[in-house]
PDB file of all heavy atoms in Angstrom:
ATOM      1  N   PRO A  38      -6.290  14.925   7.606  1.00 98.00           N
ATOM      2  CA  PRO A  38      -7.373  13.943   7.502  1.00 98.00           C
ATOM      3  C   PRO A  38      -8.366  14.295   6.390  1.00 98.00           C
ATOM      4  O   PRO A  38      -8.824  13.408   5.663  1.00 98.00           O
ATOM      5  CB  PRO A  38      -8.029  13.983   8.878  1.00 98.00           C
ATOM      6  CG  PRO A  38      -6.941  14.416   9.801  1.00 98.00           C
ATOM      7  CD  PRO A  38      -6.118  15.400   8.987  1.00 98.00           C
ATOM      8  N   GLU A  39      -8.650  15.563   6.228  1.00 98.00           N
ATOM      9  CA  GLU A  39      -9.599  15.996   5.196  1.00 98.00           C
ATOM     10  C   GLU A  39      -9.039  15.746   3.796  1.00 98.00           C
ATOM     11  O   GLU A  39      -9.759  15.272   2.909  1.00 98.00           O
ATOM     12  CB  GLU A  39      -9.927  17.488   5.373  1.00 98.00           C
ATOM     13  CG  GLU A  39     -10.642  17.826   6.660  1.00 98.00           C
ATOM     14  CD  GLU A  39      -9.739  17.892   7.892  1.00 98.00           C
ATOM     15  OE1 GLU A  39      -8.492  18.004   7.750  1.00 98.00           O
ATOM     16  OE2 GLU A  39     -10.280  17.802   9.018  1.00 98.00           O
ATOM     17  N   GLN A  40      -7.760  16.055   3.601  1.00 98.00           N
ATOM     18  CA  GLN A  40      -7.132  15.816   2.297  1.00 98.00           C
ATOM     19  C   GLN A  40      -7.108  14.328   1.980  1.00 98.00           C
ATOM     20  O   GLN A  40      -7.373  13.916   0.846  1.00 98.00           O
ATOM     21  CB  GLN A  40      -5.709  16.366   2.286  1.00 98.00           C
ATOM     22  CG  GLN A  40      -5.610  17.866   2.323  1.00 98.00           C
ATOM     23  CD  GLN A  40      -4.186  18.332   2.615  1.00 98.00           C
ATOM     24  OE1 GLN A  40      -3.404  17.645   3.282  1.00 98.00           O
ATOM     25  NE2 GLN A  40      -3.842  19.519   2.124  1.00 98.00           N
ATOM     26  N   PHE A  41      -6.758  13.535   2.975  1.00 98.00           N
ATOM     27  CA  PHE A  41      -6.678  12.091   2.779  1.00 98.00           C
ATOM     28  C   PHE A  41      -8.041  11.519   2.399  1.00 98.00           C
ATOM     29  O   PHE A  41      -8.158  10.762   1.431  1.00 98.00           O
ATOM     30  CB  PHE A  41      -6.139  11.429   4.055  1.00 98.00           C
ATOM     31  CG  PHE A  41      -5.949   9.948   3.933  1.00 98.00           C
ATOM     32  CD1 PHE A  41      -4.941   9.422   3.149  1.00 98.00           C
ATOM     33  CD2 PHE A  41      -6.793   9.067   4.598  1.00 98.00           C
ATOM     34  CE1 PHE A  41      -4.764   8.049   3.027  1.00 98.00           C
ATOM     35  CE2 PHE A  41      -6.625   7.701   4.483  1.00 98.00           C
ATOM     36  CZ  PHE A  41      -5.605   7.192   3.695  1.00 98.00           C
ATOM     37  N   GLU A  42      -9.056  11.888   3.148  1.00 98.00           N
ATOM     38  CA  GLU A  42     -10.403  11.383   2.880  1.00 98.00           C
ATOM     39  C   GLU A  42     -10.889  11.841   1.511  1.00 98.00           C
ATOM     40  O   GLU A  42     -11.458  11.055   0.750  1.00 98.00           O
ATOM     41  CB  GLU A  42     -11.359  11.846   3.977  1.00 98.00           C
ATOM     42  CG  GLU A  42     -12.753  11.266   3.828  1.00 98.00           C
ATOM     43  CD  GLU A  42     -13.675  11.645   4.969  1.00 98.00           C
ATOM     44  OE1 GLU A  42     -13.216  11.703   6.133  1.00 98.00           O
ATOM     45  OE2 GLU A  42     -14.864  11.901   4.688  1.00 98.00           O
ATOM     46  N   ASP A  43     -10.678  13.103   1.178  1.00 98.00           N
ATOM     47  CA  ASP A  43     -11.122  13.619  -0.108  1.00 98.00           C
ATOM     48  C   ASP A  43     -10.418  12.908  -1.262  1.00 98.00           C
ATOM     49  O   ASP A  43     -11.028  12.614  -2.284  1.00 98.00           O
ATOM     50  CB  ASP A  43     -10.872  15.129  -0.188  1.00 98.00           C
ATOM     51  CG  ASP A  43     -11.441  15.725  -1.458  1.00 98.00           C
ATOM     52  OD1 ASP A  43     -12.673  15.623  -1.667  1.00 98.00           O
ATOM     53  OD2 ASP A  43     -10.659  16.276  -2.257  1.00 98.00           O
ATOM     54  N   ALA A  44      -9.138  12.613  -1.094  1.00 98.00           N
ATOM     55  CA  ALA A  44      -8.381  11.941  -2.160  1.00 98.00           C
ATOM     56  C   ALA A  44      -8.870  10.518  -2.400  1.00 98.00           C
ATOM     57  O   ALA A  44      -8.716   9.983  -3.498  1.00 98.00           O
ATOM     58  CB  ALA A  44      -6.890  11.939  -1.838  1.00 98.00           C
ATOM     59  N   GLY A  45      -9.466   9.905  -1.382  1.00 98.00           N
ATOM     60  CA  GLY A  45      -9.971   8.548  -1.556  1.00 98.00           C
ATOM     61  C   GLY A  45     -11.459   8.457  -1.817  1.00 98.00           C
ATOM     62  O   GLY A  45     -11.932   7.509  -2.442  1.00 98.00           O
ATOM     63  N   PHE A  46     -12.216   9.450  -1.341  1.00 98.00           N
ATOM     64  CA  PHE A  46     -13.672   9.338  -1.403  1.00 98.00           C
ATOM     65  C   PHE A  46     -14.370  10.608  -1.869  1.00 98.00           C
ATOM     66  O   PHE A  46     -15.588  10.707  -1.811  1.00 98.00           O
ATOM     67  CB  PHE A  46     -14.214   8.929  -0.022  1.00 98.00           C
ATOM     68  CG  PHE A  46     -13.724   7.584   0.394  1.00 98.00           C
ATOM     69  CD1 PHE A  46     -12.599   7.460   1.197  1.00 98.00           C
ATOM     70  CD2 PHE A  46     -14.350   6.432  -0.048  1.00 98.00           C
ATOM     71  CE1 PHE A  46     -12.124   6.213   1.571  1.00 98.00           C
ATOM     72  CE2 PHE A  46     -13.879   5.184   0.316  1.00 98.00           C
ATOM     73  CZ  PHE A  46     -12.769   5.076   1.130  1.00 98.00           C
ATOM     74  N   GLY A  47     -13.614  11.599  -2.299  1.00 98.00           N
ATOM     75  CA  GLY A  47     -14.196  12.851  -2.759  1.00 98.00           C
ATOM     76  C   GLY A  47     -14.737  12.747  -4.172  1.00 98.00           C
ATOM     77  O   GLY A  47     -14.994  11.654  -4.695  1.00 98.00           O
ATOM     78  N   GLU A  48     -14.857  13.899  -4.793  1.00 98.00           N
ATOM     79  CA  GLU A  48     -15.432  13.984  -6.136  1.00 98.00           C
ATOM     80  C   GLU A  48     -14.599  13.252  -7.189  1.00 98.00           C
ATOM     81  O   GLU A  48     -15.132  12.666  -8.124  1.00 98.00           O
ATOM     82  CB  GLU A  48     -15.568  15.460  -6.509  1.00 98.00           C
ATOM     83  CG  GLU A  48     -16.408  15.706  -7.733  1.00 98.00           C
ATOM     84  CD  GLU A  48     -16.652  17.181  -7.955  1.00 98.00           C
ATOM     85  OE1 GLU A  48     -17.153  17.846  -7.022  1.00 98.00           O
ATOM     86  OE2 GLU A  48     -16.331  17.661  -9.062  1.00 98.00           O
ATOM     87  N   SER A  49     -13.279  13.289  -7.047  1.00 97.00           N
ATOM     88  CA  SER A  49     -12.380  12.623  -8.000  1.00 97.00           C
ATOM     89  C   SER A  49     -11.372  11.768  -7.236  1.00 97.00           C
ATOM     90  O   SER A  49     -10.204  12.136  -7.091  1.00 97.00           O
ATOM     91  CB  SER A  49     -11.634  13.666  -8.842  1.00 97.00           C
ATOM     92  OG  SER A  49     -12.524  14.457  -9.565  1.00 97.00           O
ATOM     93  N   PRO A  50     -11.794  10.614  -6.749  1.00 98.00           N
ATOM     94  CA  PRO A  50     -10.877   9.786  -5.940  1.00 98.00           C
ATOM     95  C   PRO A  50      -9.658   9.342  -6.742  1.00 98.00           C
ATOM     96  O   PRO A  50      -9.768   9.038  -7.926  1.00 98.00           O
ATOM     97  CB  PRO A  50     -11.720   8.580  -5.536  1.00 98.00           C
ATOM     98  CG  PRO A  50     -13.055   8.753  -6.142  1.00 98.00           C
ATOM     99  CD  PRO A  50     -13.083  10.014  -6.932  1.00 98.00           C
ATOM    100  N   VAL A  51      -8.502   9.337  -6.079  1.00 98.00           N
ATOM    101  CA  VAL A  51      -7.273   8.937  -6.755  1.00 98.00           C
ATOM    102  C   VAL A  51      -6.668   7.665  -6.174  1.00 98.00           C
ATOM    103  O   VAL A  51      -5.749   7.106  -6.765  1.00 98.00           O
ATOM    104  CB  VAL A  51      -6.215  10.070  -6.738  1.00 98.00           C
ATOM    105  CG1 VAL A  51      -6.699  11.263  -7.545  1.00 98.00           C
ATOM    106  CG2 VAL A  51      -5.858  10.475  -5.325  1.00 98.00           C
ATOM    107  N   TRP A  52      -7.143   7.221  -5.012  1.00 98.00           N
ATOM    108  CA  TRP A  52      -6.590   5.997  -4.446  1.00 98.00           C
ATOM    109  C   TRP A  52      -7.713   5.050  -4.040  1.00 98.00           C
ATOM    110  O   TRP A  52      -8.850   5.462  -3.848  1.00 98.00           O
ATOM    111  CB  TRP A  52      -5.656   6.254  -3.278  1.00 98.00           C
ATOM    112  CG  TRP A  52      -6.240   6.960  -2.078  1.00 98.00           C
ATOM    113  CD1 TRP A  52      -6.121   8.284  -1.777  1.00 98.00           C
ATOM    114  CD2 TRP A  52      -6.998   6.383  -1.000  1.00 98.00           C
ATOM    115  NE1 TRP A  52      -6.766   8.567  -0.591  1.00 98.00           N
ATOM    116  CE2 TRP A  52      -7.310   7.410  -0.093  1.00 98.00           C
ATOM    117  CE3 TRP A  52      -7.449   5.101  -0.704  1.00 98.00           C
ATOM    118  CZ2 TRP A  52      -8.048   7.207   1.072  1.00 98.00           C
ATOM    119  CZ3 TRP A  52      -8.186   4.887   0.453  1.00 98.00           C
ATOM    120  CH2 TRP A  52      -8.472   5.933   1.330  1.00 98.00           C
ATOM    121  N   LYS A  53      -7.344   3.785  -3.947  1.00 98.00           N
ATOM    122  CA  LYS A  53      -8.210   2.729  -3.427  1.00 98.00           C
ATOM    123  C   LYS A  53      -7.380   1.954  -2.425  1.00 98.00           C
ATOM    124  O   LYS A  53      -6.157   1.966  -2.484  1.00 98.00           O
ATOM    125  CB  LYS A  53      -8.649   1.765  -4.538  1.00 98.00           C
ATOM    126  CG  LYS A  53      -9.895   2.168  -5.259  1.00 98.00           C
ATOM    127  CD  LYS A  53     -10.391   1.045  -6.157  1.00 98.00           C
ATOM    128  CE  LYS A  53     -11.036  -0.043  -5.325  1.00 98.00           C
ATOM    129  NZ  LYS A  53     -11.703  -1.094  -6.045  1.00 98.00           N
ATOM    130  N   ALA A  54      -8.056   1.237  -1.546  1.00 98.00           N
ATOM    131  CA  ALA A  54      -7.307   0.454  -0.568  1.00 98.00           C
ATOM    132  C   ALA A  54      -8.124  -0.746  -0.112  1.00 98.00           C
ATOM    133  O   ALA A  54      -9.353  -0.740  -0.172  1.00 98.00           O
ATOM    134  CB  ALA A  54      -6.930   1.319   0.633  1.00 98.00           C
ATOM    135  N   PHE A  55      -7.400  -1.734   0.358  1.00 98.00           N
ATOM    136  CA  PHE A  55      -7.990  -2.896   1.005  1.00 98.00           C
ATOM    137  C   PHE A  55      -7.570  -2.880   2.458  1.00 98.00           C
ATOM    138  O   PHE A  55      -6.453  -2.485   2.787  1.00 98.00           O
ATOM    139  CB  PHE A  55      -7.517  -4.198   0.351  1.00 98.00           C
ATOM    140  CG  PHE A  55      -7.945  -4.326  -1.083  1.00 98.00           C
ATOM    141  CD1 PHE A  55      -7.025  -4.253  -2.104  1.00 98.00           C
ATOM    142  CD2 PHE A  55      -9.284  -4.507  -1.400  1.00 98.00           C
ATOM    143  CE1 PHE A  55      -7.410  -4.356  -3.426  1.00 98.00           C
ATOM    144  CE2 PHE A  55      -9.685  -4.622  -2.723  1.00 98.00           C
ATOM    145  CZ  PHE A  55      -8.752  -4.547  -3.738  1.00 98.00           C
ATOM    146  N   ALA A  56      -8.463  -3.310   3.323  1.00 98.00           N
ATOM    147  CA  ALA A  56      -8.178  -3.377   4.754  1.00 98.00           C
ATOM    148  C   ALA A  56      -8.161  -4.822   5.197  1.00 98.00           C
ATOM    149  O   ALA A  56      -8.984  -5.627   4.762  1.00 98.00           O
ATOM    150  CB  ALA A  56      -9.249  -2.611   5.540  1.00 98.00           C
ATOM    151  N   ALA A  57      -7.214  -5.140   6.073  1.00 98.00           N
ATOM    152  CA  ALA A  57      -7.205  -6.428   6.770  1.00 98.00           C
ATOM    153  C   ALA A  57      -7.889  -6.166   8.110  1.00 98.00           C
ATOM    154  O   ALA A  57      -7.482  -5.265   8.849  1.00 98.00           O
ATOM    155  CB  ALA A  57      -5.779  -6.922   6.968  1.00 98.00           C
ATOM    156  N   VAL A  58      -8.924  -6.945   8.395  1.00 98.00           N
ATOM    157  CA  VAL A  58      -9.760  -6.672   9.552  1.00 98.00           C
ATOM    158  C   VAL A  58      -9.815  -7.899  10.459  1.00 98.00           C
ATOM    159  O   VAL A  58     -10.029  -9.017   9.994  1.00 98.00           O
ATOM    160  CB  VAL A  58     -11.189  -6.273   9.106  1.00 98.00           C
ATOM    161  CG1 VAL A  58     -12.068  -5.937  10.289  1.00 98.00           C
ATOM    162  CG2 VAL A  58     -11.138  -5.105   8.131  1.00 98.00           C
ATOM    163  N   ASP A  59      -9.619  -7.649  11.749  1.00 97.00           N
ATOM    164  CA  ASP A  59      -9.772  -8.671  12.783  1.00 97.00           C
ATOM    165  C   ASP A  59     -10.957  -8.226  13.642  1.00 97.00           C
ATOM    166  O   ASP A  59     -10.843  -7.243  14.376  1.00 97.00           O
ATOM    167  CB  ASP A  59      -8.512  -8.784  13.627  1.00 97.00           C
ATOM    168  CG  ASP A  59      -8.604  -9.878  14.684  1.00 97.00           C
ATOM    169  OD1 ASP A  59      -9.573 -10.662  14.661  1.00 97.00           O
ATOM    170  OD2 ASP A  59      -7.696  -9.946  15.532  1.00 97.00           O
ATOM    171  N   GLY A  60     -12.071  -8.911  13.501  1.00 94.00           N
ATOM    172  CA  GLY A  60     -13.286  -8.480  14.184  1.00 94.00           C
ATOM    173  C   GLY A  60     -13.758  -7.183  13.564  1.00 94.00           C
ATOM    174  O   GLY A  60     -14.126  -7.143  12.399  1.00 94.00           O
ATOM    175  N   ASP A  61     -13.689  -6.095  14.333  1.00 93.00           N
ATOM    176  CA  ASP A  61     -14.048  -4.790  13.773  1.00 93.00           C
ATOM    177  C   ASP A  61     -12.859  -3.836  13.737  1.00 93.00           C
ATOM    178  O   ASP A  61     -13.011  -2.647  13.498  1.00 93.00           O
ATOM    179  CB  ASP A  61     -15.206  -4.166  14.554  1.00 93.00           C
ATOM    180  CG  ASP A  61     -14.877  -3.924  16.018  1.00 93.00           C
ATOM    181  OD1 ASP A  61     -13.787  -4.329  16.470  1.00 93.00           O
ATOM    182  OD2 ASP A  61     -15.713  -3.332  16.713  1.00 93.00           O
TER     183      ASP A  61
END
Side-chain angles (χ1 to χ4, degrees):
E39 296 79 18
Q40 291 168 331
F41 183 71
E42 185 176 322
D43 185 60
F46 297 95
E48 192 173 305
S49 300
V51 295
W52 60 260
K53 272 190 75 172
F55 297 111
V58 182
D59 182 9
D61 61 355

